[in-house]
Amino acid sequence: VKYKIPSGMPKLQRLGIGQDSYGSPSVFSFFHPEYSPAGVISLGGLVAPEAQVLAGSVVTTLLDGLLTTVKFGVVDCYQGFGETVLGECPTIEGAPTDNQEGSMTYSLEGTTNIDEVLDDLSLLLTSGRLSDKNKQIIKDAVENMYLSG
């Protein structure tokens, strides 16, 4: 994935998405290792120290911004992370517009067949943990779509 980012992202700092630099409530800047948020994590006897800085509004804001970035690039529309509205909000996912302050793209550098593409995407999306069985499922689906037009 190639990501073109604008210079500085002050909106990210204003949003307070939870894990920004210098945003720690304490000068010690660490999480209590025994912290367990209420709910299924606590009931399961598990801990989630990083959840100390999370709240529903923080999670929702972060997910909105990330989803918008993936779908439309860095834009100010749709609760995105962009700073300024440079024109109309995009309506077609993945289509480049003049409204983007940044964008994400994927290019098939040096890959020539579907197996190499699947290996590349497996590394990118699952840290290389996509099983051979799941690769075959995806390969069959892609080949069927390609052959049927």
Side-chain angles (χ1 to χ4, degrees):
V1 170
K2 294 180 181 174
Y3 180 64
K4 180 185 80 177
I5 190 166
S7 59
M9 297 285 294
K11 185 173 184 179
L12 285 176
Q13 294 168 339
R14 284 196 315 276
L15 288 172
I17 56 175
Q19 305 242 359
D20 47 324
S21 16
Y22 308 109
S24 174
S26 160
V27 295
F28 298 107
S29 188
F30 64 88
F31 306 119
H32 297 289
E34 71 280 357
Y35 182 79
S36 181
V40 295
I41 293 175
S42 181
L43 292 173
L46 302 171
V47 296
E50 67 283 356
Q52 284 179 264
V53 296
L54 297 179
S57 61
V58 170
V59 173
T60 303
T61 300
L62 177 60
L63 290 176
D64 280 344
L66 291 174
L67 183 61
T68 297
T69 300
V70 169
K71 291 172 80 171
F72 302 110
V74 180
V75 295
D76 189 43
C77 309
Y78 315 115
Q79 293 77 42
F81 296 139
E83 277 296 310
T84 57
V85 177
L86 304 172
E88 295 290 320
C89 289
T91 56
I92 301 172
E93 294 179 19
T97 68
D98 293 335
N99 190 20
Q100 294 173 330
E101 296 176 55
S103 60
M104 295 175 63
T105 59
Y106 172 77
S107 60
L108 304 171
E109 294 181 16
T111 54
T112 57
N113 64 50
I114 191 164
D115 291 314
E116 290 177 356
V117 172
L118 286 172
D119 288 341
D120 199 24
L121 290 174
S122 172
L123 179 62
L124 176 68
L125 300 174
T126 67
S127 299
R129 295 178 301 217
L130 191 61
S131 70
D132 290 338
K133 178 182 176 184
N134 287 335
K135 282 183 188 178
Q136 190 61 49
I137 291 169
I138 295 169
K139 182 177 179 178
D140 292 344
V142 169
E143 285 176 338
N144 287 337
M145 287 187 337
Y146 180 76
L147 293 174
S148 65

